[in-house]
Amino acid sequence: MTDAWGPDILGPPFAQRTLPLGSDSEGEVVATVVRREPSTWAALVGPLRGVDVLYVHGWSDCFFQVELARFWCDLGARFHALDLRKYGRSLRDRQTPGYVTDLAVYDEDIAAALTAIGHDPASDAASRRRLVLLGHSTGGLTLTLWAARHPGVADALVLNSPWLELQTGPFARQALLPLIEARARWDPLGAHPEVDLGFYTRAQRETGSLPGEGIPADWRPERGFPTHPGWLRAVVRGHATVAAGIETGCPTLVLLSARSSSPLSWSEQALTSDSVLVVDEIARAAIRVGSDVTLRRVDGALHDVFLSAAPARASAYRALRDWLVEGAVRRDARQGSANAPH
């Protein structure tokens, strides 16, 4: 692992660290962790002092949400974001963007990131600081499955429009799975028809939530990355695991838009709804991820609730803050401080 933290594309106060992960058939594989520290005052008196956050992005994405990082740091938490292998800062020449054949492969990326931020199981710091996992869309699915495989590591899980179920719903998923499995076996890197027509990107642009200059276009393409059968099989298997019922082992908050809109045509509804997922299907799937799940529907929110227009964004942050400060994470932080060696 590269020990040095260096400058990040977002500029100060962000820094990044490259996490070598070996190689695969496409060459060198790395992940990248980005950090932002709270102010000294917030770290001393903020309600989330003693908390570390690890954020994982969604499909065709990377970390760029400066406001999201500031929210956590203002509460006293240390914020970290992970660009998974073959995404964003971790994407290398001649790699297939975002491609994996099993979401459990990301265990390596997450383990490397946790070690880099001081949550190696062998580290004393892991016994003193709380860990909150924050995932968006495919990243939400990835972290949900990870938490269930690693009980007791995370103290809380926050899911921002997690992709917990196929847009067509569970019955269609079950019907399609044999076809998806067969295609993935004989043509894992084959091409799928393009289904992202760019309307979600347009909605983000019109709400003013897209990053400014500096984020390369190939990190967040207008119509998303091409998808492939091997990757789709990995995602749908994840959906099936959730549908069977799992236990994240920690308090879980799920944030969703109040409604969905069609991704196949543009309308003004795209500015106040999720045009990527069917939120009612996600809400139904969310109750299967654990025994302590809180669901919050945010009126007017986009697929990424923290990239919505200002009123919906404020509602999302307010719901998150209330849940964190008044709920389980704050209680755990107090208990952790009380039990920590002095």
Side-chain angles (χ1 to χ4, degrees):
M1 182 179 296
T2 302
D3 290 333
W5 290 87
D8 185 65
I9 194 170
L10 296 175
F14 293 94
Q16 68 161 267
R17 181 173 174 180
T18 301
L19 310 174
L21 299 172
S23 61
D24 63 11
S25 60
E26 296 183 327
E28 174 195 32
V29 178
V30 303
T32 310
V33 64
V34 180
R35 75 177 181 190
R36 187 188 193 279
E37 300 278 352
S39 68
T40 301
W41 179 253
L44 287 172
V45 304
L48 296 187
R49 62 189 181 278
V51 170
D52 287 334
V53 180
L54 181 64
Y55 169 77
V56 176
H57 56 81
W59 174 248
S60 301
D61 214 342
C62 63
F63 171 67
F64 64 90
Q65 292 91 335
V66 172
E67 182 184 65
L68 180 64
R70 186 169 59 246
F71 164 84
W72 289 93
C73 290
D74 286 348
L75 295 176
R78 302 192 308 195
F79 180 87
H80 310 84
L82 179 60
D83 276 12
L84 297 167
R85 64 183 69 198
K86 305 186 183 183
Y87 285 93
R89 297 163 179 81
S90 308
L91 182 61
R92 299 295 184 260
D93 291 341
R94 295 179 296 279
Q95 287 183 335
T96 305
Y99 183 75
V100 291
T101 57
D102 187 341
L103 297 182
V105 167
Y106 293 133
D107 283 16
E108 298 176 7
D109 307 50
I110 296 168
L114 291 178
T115 297
I117 69 176
H119 282 266
D120 188 305
S123 170
D124 289 340
S127 66
R128 295 196 300 268
R129 297 188 64 86
R130 306 293 90 191
L131 176 65
V132 177
L133 301 177
L134 169 62
H136 170 55
S137 198
T138 315
L141 173 63
T142 297
L143 287 180
T144 298
L145 297 170
W146 184 91
R149 290 194 300 271
H150 299 81
V153 178
D155 295 283
L157 177 64
V158 178
L159 303 176
N160 170 9
S161 301
W163 192 15
L164 301 178
E165 181 55 89
L166 207 61
Q167 287 86 328
T168 52
F171 297 111
R173 169 177 48 77
Q174 293 167 15
L176 291 170
L177 185 56
L179 299 176
I180 294 170
E181 293 275 0
R183 177 84 190 277
R185 281 195 297 271
W186 63 265
D187 190 21
L189 281 167
H192 283 148
E194 186 175 291
V195 295
D196 186 344
L197 303 180
F199 298 132
Y200 177 49
T201 300
R202 177 178 171 182
Q204 291 176 315
R205 183 181 299 112
E206 294 199 14
T207 58
S209 61
L210 283 182
E213 297 296 327
I215 300 296
D218 60 341
W219 291 9
R220 302 188 82 248
E222 183 91 5
R223 297 191 174 189
F225 297 148
T227 63
H228 305 280
W231 169 83
L232 182 58
R233 176 178 61 183
V235 170
V236 173
R237 284 178 172 178
H239 294 160
T241 299
V242 169
I246 59 175
E247 176 56 66
T248 62
C250 60
T252 300
L253 173 67
V254 180
L255 295 166
L256 293 172
S257 178
R259 61 190 63 83
S260 294
S261 59
S262 172
L264 302 179
S265 62
W266 175 258
S267 73
E268 292 300 306
Q269 290 183 342
L271 298 174
T272 56
S273 62
D274 189 328
S275 60
V276 177
L277 299 181
V278 178
V279 291
D280 289 344
E281 294 291 354
I282 305 304
R284 280 188 280 269
I287 63 173
R288 297 183 176 275
V289 306
S291 56
D292 186 355
V293 178
T294 301
L295 180 67
R296 291 286 184 268
R297 304 287 289 264
V298 181
D299 190 39
L302 298 183
H303 175 53
D304 187 331
V305 300
F306 299 117
L307 295 180
S308 307
R313 197 164 70 246
S315 295
Y317 279 120
R318 187 164 52 250
L320 175 56
R321 189 187 191 285
D322 289 348
W323 185 82
L324 290 167
V325 175
E326 303 301 330
V329 177
R330 181 61 181 140
R331 289 197 300 273
D332 286 347
R334 285 197 297 264
Q335 292 166 0
S337 297
N339 296 330
H342 296 282

